Amino acid sequence: MFPLPEPMRLALDAARRAGEEGEVPVGAVIVRHGQVVSVAANAPRRLHDPTAHAEIQAIRAAAEKLGRERLEECDLWVTLEPCAMCAGAIAHARIARLYYAASDPKGGAVEHGPRFFGQPTCHHRPEIYAGIGEAEGAALLRSFFAARR
Amino acid sequence: MFPLPEPMRLALDAARRAGEEGEVPVGAVIVRHGQVVSVAANAPRRLHDPTAHAEIQAIRAAAEKLGRERLEECDLWVTLEPCAMCAGAIAHARIARLYYAASDPKGGAVEHGPRFFGQPTCHHRPEIYAGIGEAEGAALLRSFFAARR
C-alpha cells in the first residue's frame, strides 16, 4: 500500500468522526498552495441543513476564511464522489482540482447520473482525480450502513 | 394579465432588492401549508459564499426555522430555473412542489443541461411548475446584465 496523501487522510479522519456522531461518514478538505484551508464533514442531521454535505461545508468555510466568493487555486479532496448539488457548488467555486476516493453509483454526479462536469452547460470543470483512498472511503460507508441495518 | 401568486411576488421582490445590491437578481420563497417559512435572495458576493444562491439560502433558513433536515410538505418558489447545485439541494430537502419563473438555458438543470430530476439517480422529484412570473423574472435579469455591459 502507498501512504495516502495528507489531505485525503484528513478527509477520511473527518468522515470517521462524522460517522461516530451518526452522520453518513463523508469528509472533505480544501487545500491552497499546499496549505489546508478547511476541513469539514457531512452534517445535515446535526445542523438541520439538507445542504450540509462535506463539500458544501468545506467550500463555505474556505470562502469565508479567504474572504472571497471564488476558490481559484484551491483543490478539494473528498472521500466520496460528489452529488449534483456538490458538483454544482464545485463549479460555482471554481475549484481547480477535485480528488475523490470512493465512487457513488447511487448518488454520484461526476461519473454517474447527470455526469455534471461533462454537460455543455457546466461553466467550470476542475481537473478530476478519482480513486485515491477509495478502499478506505468505501469501507467507512459500508460499516456505517451495516451497523444500522 | 393574471395577478401573480403571492409567493412568486415575494420572490420577485427579493430578487429585485438583491439586484439593487449588486447580486444577480434571483429570489426564492418557501411556503408550508399556505404560510411563508422563508424568503431569500442570491447573495454569493455579499456573503463570500459561492453556494449562496437564493434556493440554497431559502432551504437553509427554512430547515433551521423548522428544526429539521427535510422540508416535506414545503413548496419552493424561485424566479429562475434552478442550477444543478440547487436542484440537488431541492431533492435532498424533499421539497414537495417547485415553481420557477424564467427558464435558464445557460445554467438551468431542470429543463436544460443535466435535467437533474429526470436522472435515474435522482432520489426525489418534486412536482414542477414552470413559467409563473416568467416575464417578470427574466426582465429583472435582463436589465441587471444590460446595466453592467
Side-chain angles (χ1 to χ4, degrees), chain A residues 9-24:
Chain A
R9 205 181 55 68
L10 291 172
L12 287 163
D13 288 347
R16 189 174 300 111
R17 287 193 300 275
E20 288 165 2
E21 291 164 12
E23 301 279 359
V24 175

Side-chain angles (χ1 to χ4, degrees), chain B residues 52-111:
Chain B
H53 282 194
E55 300 93 314
I56 300 282
Q57 296 298 96
I59 286 171
R60 296 183 75 226
E64 185 177 4
K65 195 161 170 181
L66 298 175
R68 51 199 174 89
E69 181 197 349
R70 292 184 175 175
L71 301 176
E72 292 105 340
E73 307 178 356
C74 289
D75 301 337
L76 175 67
W77 296 72
V78 56
T79 61
L80 185 66
E81 179 185 351
C83 72
M85 175 178 74
C86 294
I90 286 164
H92 290 311
R94 306 291 192 274
I95 292 287
R97 292 174 205 83
L98 165 64
Y99 300 85
Y100 65 87
S103 62
D104 182 5
K106 285 189 184 169
V110 178
E111 53 179 300

